[in-house]
């Protein structure tokens, strides 16, 4: 461990202990001894250090929850469908590119009109509320997008939030809970009079108030909300759905509108950017959604964001500070990224100590030197970037940064390849930095998704010689049995955490083809490309057959969505003997499943039909089955009505199947559904 990392580790531990002490004083004893600002500064510094040094991140850290002591009592609820995040845009050019991209997806020409539903992006806490039999069934926070916290009682405590509606179909609303600026000021004034800690901003106040175990506290905090989406039957577009929600008594933002061209979008953006200070609530940008649900469905999602929506963020906050040093980091593909070590400065409530300089060309283009005073911003209020050098403040003591010729980790040569402006370490799997990053990528969410393995634990296993290559992860269970001191006896581990880890490893051994391809860290192959390749190859044997051909690159680059760069990178990866052996070693432990990807079929048996799934399916998850049915032209719903055409059932089905029989609705077994898929695949 180098000296700098050792100092950072000590600082992180000091901050964690300090924050834990103040959490107990505030949440348990109600006797804080520091101001909210001082507390926020401690927390911001810790969050920043854990972000900049992921190897020090700990799932037990105080940064992993908001209001730690309070949040532990909440039950968890799984969302009925995922709460996706949004891609971000920061300029007119970004929005223009977005429009071009989505129009191309649906076969529109550049000049064709496409309606977009536009509304403010509220700086609050996202929620989802499910209604059934005319009553609020449950409400849940966003959580990780799949599972959130049960806040049903707290939502009921929000003034003007309907808990009973005049609508007998099952539906769901989604929106944002916020605290108005006036209520925020009043809350802090009240806290000040009562010698209680002041909140730093309305968003933090809203989050802390919504996530209270005692709903009376929530009621007294005077929270507000806006509904921005959801699911309800028989509506064709976002605008109609929002009007329906409004008629049912939900509060919908009055600043929304529908436009169909770039000029009107930018005009709306400029207007809202100017007037946002006059609003009684905070917004950090705008959200644009394709208005038509049919077109939304056609466009689908990518990764964890919909293709049909985007967040247009307001300008980031800027600050000036000094570059104290410049060093380089090594990524999983060997990319060498220069990083500026900054004199710490607070930007938008976050203590910034580092900023990415992207590549050597960026340093030359902006003439960035060690010792310079620079203007920085947090792009999207998140990632620090150097905007410009304040040349008028440059002195004779600045130093020119010399880009290293050798990797700082493995001492292999650093080289450029072709037209790529990014220089890379040539050490490959001989470079410890690349090995660690590749291992972390291998276990990541969209790859093998092994819960219980963090970068910190990967480093721990690596340093102890247990995990040097991906296949070693699957040997951990047997390796643990031979250790003089088993993993459960190590500091930071226990029997339960080890059992959970081993269970997660075992579950990960069955993996879809696209996730397996993505896990291999092949250059230029991301989540979407991995899905395209998986759909083309179907199974790993077909990959091996293609690799053996002399014209493999030519064959692969003809696949729609691949191209020469991706094809070359993919083929070269598998032709490399070292990589090939790594893959073979992994395949010894796992079962790679074929991905069922069905193209849109408008002539299938399900086309245009209202379909409901019930029970547990063996071959598909519920989401997979519903997505496949949608590709076959079906409309998915969750409640049976006279409009339902088919009920598809698996094992342990509920009352829906009996109700379908009573209503003479056609029922389809999972096997019959699978046969339909095969016919249209």
């Amino acid at each position: 461990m180098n000296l700098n990392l050792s100092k950072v580790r000590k600082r992180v531990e000091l901050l964690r202990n300090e924050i834990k002490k103040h959490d107990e004083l505030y949440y348990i004893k109600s006797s804080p001894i520091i101001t909210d600002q001082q507390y926020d500064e401690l927390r911001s510094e810790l969050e920043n250090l854990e972000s900049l040094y992921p190897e020090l991140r700990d799932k037990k850290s105080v940064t992993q929850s908001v209001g730690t002591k309070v949040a532990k009592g909440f039950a968890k609820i799984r969302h009925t469908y995922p709460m996706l995040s949004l891609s971000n845009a920061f300029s007119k050019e970004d929005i223009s590119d977005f429009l071009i991209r989505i129009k191309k997806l649906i076969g529109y020409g550049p000049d064709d009109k496409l309606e977009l539903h536009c509304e403010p992006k509220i700086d609050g806490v996202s929620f989802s509320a499910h209604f059934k039999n005319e009553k609020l069934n449950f409400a849940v926070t966003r959580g990780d997008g799949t599972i959130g916290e049960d806040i049903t009682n707290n939502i009921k405590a929000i003034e003007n939030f309907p808990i009973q509606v005049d609508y007998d179909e099952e539906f769901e609303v989604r929106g944002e809970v916020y605290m108005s600026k006036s209520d925020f000021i009043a809350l802090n004034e009240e806290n000040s009079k009562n010698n209680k800690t002041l909140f730093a901003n309305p968003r933090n106040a809203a989050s802390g108030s919504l996530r209270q175990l005692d709903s009376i506290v929530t009621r007294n905090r005077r929270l507000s909300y806006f509904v921005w989406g959801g699911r309800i039957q028989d509506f064709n577009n976002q605008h109609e759905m929002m009007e329906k929600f409004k008629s049912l008594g939900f509060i919908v933002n009055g600043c929304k509108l529908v436009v169909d061209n770039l000029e009107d979008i930018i005009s709306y953006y400029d207007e809202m950017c100017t007037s946002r200070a006059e609003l009684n609530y905070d917004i950090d940008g705008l959200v644009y959604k394709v208005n038509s649900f049919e077109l939304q469905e056609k466009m689908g999602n990518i990764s964890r964001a919909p293709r049909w929506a985007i967040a247009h963020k307001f300008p980031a906050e800027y600050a000036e500070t000094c570059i104290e040093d410049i060093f380089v980091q090594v990524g999983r593909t060997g990319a060498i990224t220069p990083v500026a070590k900054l004199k710490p400065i607070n930007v938008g409530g976050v203590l910034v100590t580092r900023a990415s300089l992207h590549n050597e060309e960026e340093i030359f283009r902006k003439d960035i030197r060690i010792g310079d005073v620079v203007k920085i911003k947090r792009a999207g209020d998140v990632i620090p970037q150097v905007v410009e050098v304040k040349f008028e403040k440059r002195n004779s003591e600045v130093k020119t940064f010399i880009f290293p010729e050798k990797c700082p980790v493995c001492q292999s040569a650093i080289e450029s390849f072709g037209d790529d402006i990014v220089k890379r370490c040539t050490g490959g799997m001989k470079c410890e930095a690349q090995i660690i990053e590749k291992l972390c990528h291998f276990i990541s969410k969209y790859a093998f998704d092994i819960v219980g393995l963090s970068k910190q634990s990967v480093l721990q296993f690596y340093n102890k010689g247990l995990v040097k290559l991906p296949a070693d992860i699957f040997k951990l269970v047997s390796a643990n049995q031979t250790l003089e001191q088993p993993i459960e006896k190590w500091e930071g581990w226990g029997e339960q955490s080890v059992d959970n880890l081993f269970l997660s490893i075992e579950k990960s051994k069955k993996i879809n083809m696209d996730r397996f391809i993505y896990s291999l860290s092949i250059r230029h192959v991301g989540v979407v490309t991995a899905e395209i390749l998986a759909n083309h190859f179907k199974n790993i044997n077909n990959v091996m057959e293609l690799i053996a051909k002399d014209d493999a690159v030519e064959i692969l680059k003809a696949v729609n969505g691949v191209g020469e760069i991706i094809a070359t990178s993919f083929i070269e990866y598998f032709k490399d003997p070292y990589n090939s052996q790594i893959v073979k070693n992994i395949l010894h432990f796992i079962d790679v499943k074929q991905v069922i990807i069905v193209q849109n079929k408008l002539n299938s048996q399900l086309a245009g039909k209202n379909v409901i799934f019930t029970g547990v399916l063996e071959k598909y998850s519920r989401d997979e089955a519903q997505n496949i049915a949608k590709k076959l032209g079906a409309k998915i719903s969750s409640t049976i009505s006279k409009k339902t055409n088919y009920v598809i059932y698996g094992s342990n089905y509920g009352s829906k199947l009996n109700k379908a029989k009573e209503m003479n609705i056609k029922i389809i077994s999972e096997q019959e559904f699978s046969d339909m898929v095969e016919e249209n695949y």
Side-chain angles (χ1 to χ4, degrees), residues 328-337 407-410 425 431 433-434 437:
V328 297
Q329 291 181 327
V330 186
R332 65 182 170 88
T333 61
I336 304 295
T337 303
C407 172
V409 177
C410 70
C425 165
C431 178
Q434 291 187 59
E437 292 299 327

Side-chain angles (χ1 to χ4, degrees), residues 319-324 341-347 352-353 355 371-376 386 388 390 393:
E320 285 187 13
T321 189
C322 178
I323 294 181
E324 296 181 332
K341 179 176 181 276
L342 304 173
K343 182 178 180 180
I345 188 169
N346 194 296
V347 185
V352 174
T353 60
D372 271 332
V373 174
V374 293
K375 182 179 181 181
I376 65 168
V386 172
E388 62 178 333
K390 309 301 289 186
K393 297 184 179 182

Side-chain angles (χ1 to χ4, degrees), residues 164-198:
Q164 188 159 347
V165 294
D166 185 19
Y167 189 77
D168 60 1
E169 296 288 348
E170 195 170 353
F171 71 96
E172 190 165 315
V173 295
R174 290 184 169 181
E176 210 79 6
V177 169
Y178 69 94
M179 182 173 287
S180 70
K181 294 176 183 177
S182 56
D183 285 335
F184 169 70
I185 293 171
L187 173 63
N188 268 352
E189 287 177 349
E190 184 68 21
N191 281 357
S192 179
K193 290 176 183 177
N194 296 315
N195 295 318
K196 293 183 178 180
T197 303
L198 305 182

Side-chain angles (χ1 to χ4, degrees), residues 386-424:
V386 172
V387 178
E388 62 178 333
V389 176
K390 309 301 289 186
F391 292 108
E392 67 274 15
K393 297 184 179 182
R394 175 174 282 177
N395 58 43
S396 59
E397 296 181 1
V398 299
K399 299 178 183 178
T400 300
F401 173 68
I402 307 299
F403 209 89
E405 296 181 354
K406 291 186 177 181
C407 172
V409 177
C410 70
Q411 300 302 307
S412 297
I414 292 176
E415 297 179 2
S416 298
F417 296 87
D419 297 329
D420 194 347
I421 62 173
V422 176
K423 290 187 173 181
R424 299 179 186 276

Side-chain angles (χ1 to χ4, degrees), residues 249-369:
F250 296 98
I251 299 176
V252 175
N253 196 291
C255 295
K256 62 182 175 60
L257 79 164
V258 176
V259 300
D260 61 9
N261 61 79
L262 178 62
E263 290 68 29
D264 286 348
I265 289 176
I266 300 305
S267 175
Y268 174 65
Y269 175 83
D270 291 341
E271 179 184 344
M272 292 302 299
C273 192
T274 302
S275 63
R276 63 171 166 155
E278 301 171 9
L279 298 173
N280 195 26
Y281 48 86
D282 285 335
I283 61 176
D284 55 3
L286 305 174
V287 176
Y288 312 139
K289 303 174 184 175
V290 171
N291 195 32
S292 165
F293 289 153
E294 181 181 354
L295 294 180
Q296 287 184 13
E297 189 67 39
K298 189 172 183 180
M299 293 177 191
N301 306 318
I302 179 172
S303 184
R304 290 179 61 84
R307 289 190 176 96
W308 43 266
I310 198 164
H312 193 176
K313 303 303 287 289
F314 288 136
E317 291 192 56
Y318 294 85
E320 285 187 13
T321 189
C322 178
I323 294 181
E324 296 181 332
D325 199 2
I326 297 176
F327 59 96
V328 297
Q329 291 181 327
V330 186
R332 65 182 170 88
T333 61
I336 304 295
T337 303
V339 178
K341 179 176 181 276
L342 304 173
K343 182 178 180 180
I345 188 169
N346 194 296
V347 185
V350 173
L351 191 68
V352 174
T353 60
R354 296 185 180 188
S356 173
L357 300 178
H358 304 294
N359 52 63
E360 185 179 25
E361 186 177 284
E362 177 84 351
I363 296 176
F364 287 145
R365 184 176 66 82
K366 292 181 177 177
D367 191 16
I368 299 171
R369 303 182 189 182

